[in-house]
Amino acid sequence: MSFIPINRPVLGEEEKRAVLSVLESGRLTDSSYEGGRYVKEFEGKVRRLLGSRHVIAVNSGTAALHASLLALGVGEGDEVIVPSFTFVATANVVLAVGAKPVFVDSKEDYNIDVDAVKKAVTKRTKAVIPVHLYGYPADMDELIEFARSRSIYVVEDAAESLGATYRGRQSGTIGDAGCFSMYATKVVTSGEGGMVSTDSDELADRLRLVRNHGMVHGYDTKHLGFNYRLPEPLAAIGSVQMDRLEGFISARERNSRYVLERAGEVEGAEFTQDGADRRHVFYLLTLNLRKKRDSVLERLNSRGIGAAVYFKTPVHRTPLYAKLGFSKKRLPRAEMASKHVISLPVHPGLSGEELERVADEFVAAASSLLK
Ligand SMILES: Cc1ncc(COP(=O)(O)O)c(C=O)c1O
């Protein structure tokens, strides 16, 4: 019985050929302000998908978020509102620029609660980072309207949601900056990698500076920056993957709808990311189990199904943030979610037989344990 992982990249001959052509060219990276040939090609494809004015490639989603905060001038003395129910990078980048993360609760769809954001705002609030968790867009209109009225920047953490849409707009193009991840298991991968999208010429310029030590010509640094450049072999992989994006998303949707239809037989398993005004890209298909989540997880894993939990601990309760004094805050929905969510494999690499196994095993485990 083979093990079915929660996510697995789909890589083929074209990706191999693309990497080989970079190796043959001998240009593995390009430290110019604009970036190398494959970086520009990859950026161009993401920009056309998003319809945004600028897209800047960097070497991880974390770098995309960190660079965005630096480019927006967020720093010491500032507060940045973040959901606690997310991957740690969303909050870590706030610490990295010397600002204070202000954790807020999520809603039933696991995304940031805009009412909680309104209550958390202070004179020091400089930015808010909504996360489109699991590939499902957060409620953006009300958040943007509120943020604009208070001159607060909106940096979208779209690490998991490339290709998702909210009321006809691509996720990551609605705020001041949108940050994507191209990590190995993401909807589109370059191994490691990230992108920032923005319509602001000024911000795009600063992002390019942050990506490259603040340098334009020679070694004269104009802005605090780092080495956040994406290597050419990785950009070449990402560029090929972009041509396959729609196929990947459609397969994720199809697989998820099939599993959801089957999961409908299970009482006590709930799916809460189904708004008609947005497109979910199903980076993860995540269900809420009324009880026995850990037993279901264990049973599935023992049967070769790589079901997984994102995230078992809300960020404000992780050891680092507890040490920093953030863990006393009550965020009941984030805490509930971390006890009840389970994600099932629906990636495009699944064979029909594997998909059937995922659905059969989930229905069997959940029906017997949730009784
Ligand atoms: C919500 C979220 N934010 C940020 C990141 C960071 O992206 P990366 O792993 O590419 O640094 C990830 C992915 O790992 C993520 O899922």
Side-chain angles (χ1 to χ4, degrees):
M1 182 179 64
S2 62
F3 188 80
I4 303 174
I6 184 72
N7 259 313
R8 177 170 64 207
V10 178
L11 300 164
E13 287 307 312
E14 283 212 52
E15 284 85 350
K16 281 191 209 163
R17 272 201 298 276
V19 172
L20 271 180
S21 73
V22 180
L23 296 182
E24 279 158 10
S25 78
R27 292 169 194 259
L28 300 184
T29 192
D30 184 326
S31 60
S32 66
Y33 172 82
E34 295 81 19
R37 175 188 155 192
Y38 288 93
V39 160
K40 282 190 280 199
E41 184 182 290
F42 188 17
E43 287 176 341
K45 289 183 185 177
V46 176
R47 189 173 57 243
R48 282 190 287 284
L49 168 80
L50 300 178
S52 56
R53 209 166 145 73
H54 302 279
V55 162
I56 297 100
V58 289
N59 50 26
S60 71
T62 308
L65 288 163
H66 186 208
S68 297
L69 294 185
L70 283 170
L72 288 166
V74 179
E76 228 175 282
D78 295 330
E79 292 177 356
V80 178
I81 300 176
V82 293
S84 180
F85 195 58
T86 180
F87 180 58
V88 291
T90 316
N92 284 352
V93 294
V94 178
L95 294 181
V97 297
K100 180 183 163 197
V102 174
F103 291 103
V104 295
D105 215 349
S106 308
K107 297 200 311 175
E108 293 72 24
D109 68 0
Y110 314 121
N111 284 329
I112 198 163
D113 180 346
V114 181
D115 289 331
V117 172
K118 291 180 182 173
K119 288 189 194 122
V121 164
T122 71
K123 284 203 296 286
R124 291 172 179 265
T125 309
K126 187 85 177 252
V128 54
I129 311 183
V131 182
H132 306 302
L133 206 63
Y134 309 138
Y136 182 76
D139 281 327
M140 291 303 291
D141 280 348
E142 201 185 336
L143 180 67
I144 293 280
E145 194 187 320
F146 175 72
R148 294 276 176 271
S149 74
R150 301 296 184 98
S151 304
I152 295 166
Y153 294 123
V154 177
V155 176
E156 295 177 69
D157 182 339
E160 302 184 352
S161 68
L162 183 67
T165 58
Y166 170 82
R167 299 185 178 164
R169 286 164 289 164
Q170 287 282 328
S171 73
T173 66
I174 305 164
D176 297 283
C179 302
F180 298 89
S181 165
M182 276 79 182
Y183 173 68
T185 62
K186 292 292 195 276
V187 179
V188 151
T189 185
S190 54
E192 297 278 4
M195 291 272 173
V196 187
S197 154
T198 181
D199 284 335
S200 157
D201 296 348
E202 202 186 324
L203 188 59
D205 173 53
R206 267 183 265 136
L207 284 162
R208 289 201 169 88
L209 288 171
V210 172
R211 167 168 79 177
N212 201 25
H213 301 289
M215 304 181 308
V216 181
H217 302 294
Y219 295 114
D220 280 346
T221 182
K222 298 207 306 187
H223 191 287
L224 177 63
F226 303 97
N227 176 358
Y228 281 167
R229 298 185 299 267
L230 183 66
E232 287 282 272
L234 301 191
I237 296 172
S239 177
V240 171
Q241 290 261 301
M242 279 307 292
D243 299 336
R244 309 173 72 183
L245 174 67
E246 186 48 43
F248 288 161
I249 297 175
S250 307
R252 286 180 180 278
E253 279 173 331
R254 236 182 0 260
N255 293 346
S256 300
R257 293 294 163 200
Y258 176 73
V259 174
L260 281 170
E261 196 186 307
R262 297 284 314 278
E265 301 162 26
V266 179
E267 225 182 285
E270 205 193 350
F271 177 60
T272 59
Q273 296 193 303
D274 216 5
D277 59 350
R278 50 203 94 175
R279 185 187 198 189
H280 192 335
V281 291
F282 292 102
Y283 167 60
L284 292 164
L285 168 62
T286 302
L287 296 165
N288 196 78
L289 298 190
R290 185 165 27 94
K291 55 183 185 179
K292 303 262 178 73
R293 193 272 315 273
D294 289 341
S295 311
V296 172
L297 179 71
E298 230 167 82
R299 173 84 61 93
L300 286 173
N301 290 167
S302 75
R303 304 277 306 162
I305 310 296
V309 171
Y310 305 92
F311 303 89
K312 270 197 174 141
T313 312
V315 178
H316 77 293
R317 288 186 172 271
T318 55
L320 169 66
Y321 287 88
K323 206 163 70 191
L324 295 172
F326 289 98
S327 61
K328 284 171 221 86
K329 197 159 186 179
R330 295 260 70 80
L331 299 173
R333 276 193 236 105
E335 277 151 40
M336 280 288 276
S338 65
K339 288 193 186 77
H340 295 280
V341 291
I342 187 165
S343 301
L344 302 172
V346 289
H347 55 81
L350 290 182
S351 66
E353 208 177 295
E354 286 175 320
L355 180 64
E356 199 80 17
R357 253 181 76 203
V358 171
D360 287 348
E361 293 291 353
F362 176 72
V363 171
S367 315
S368 71
L369 291 163
L370 291 177
K371 259 202 235 118

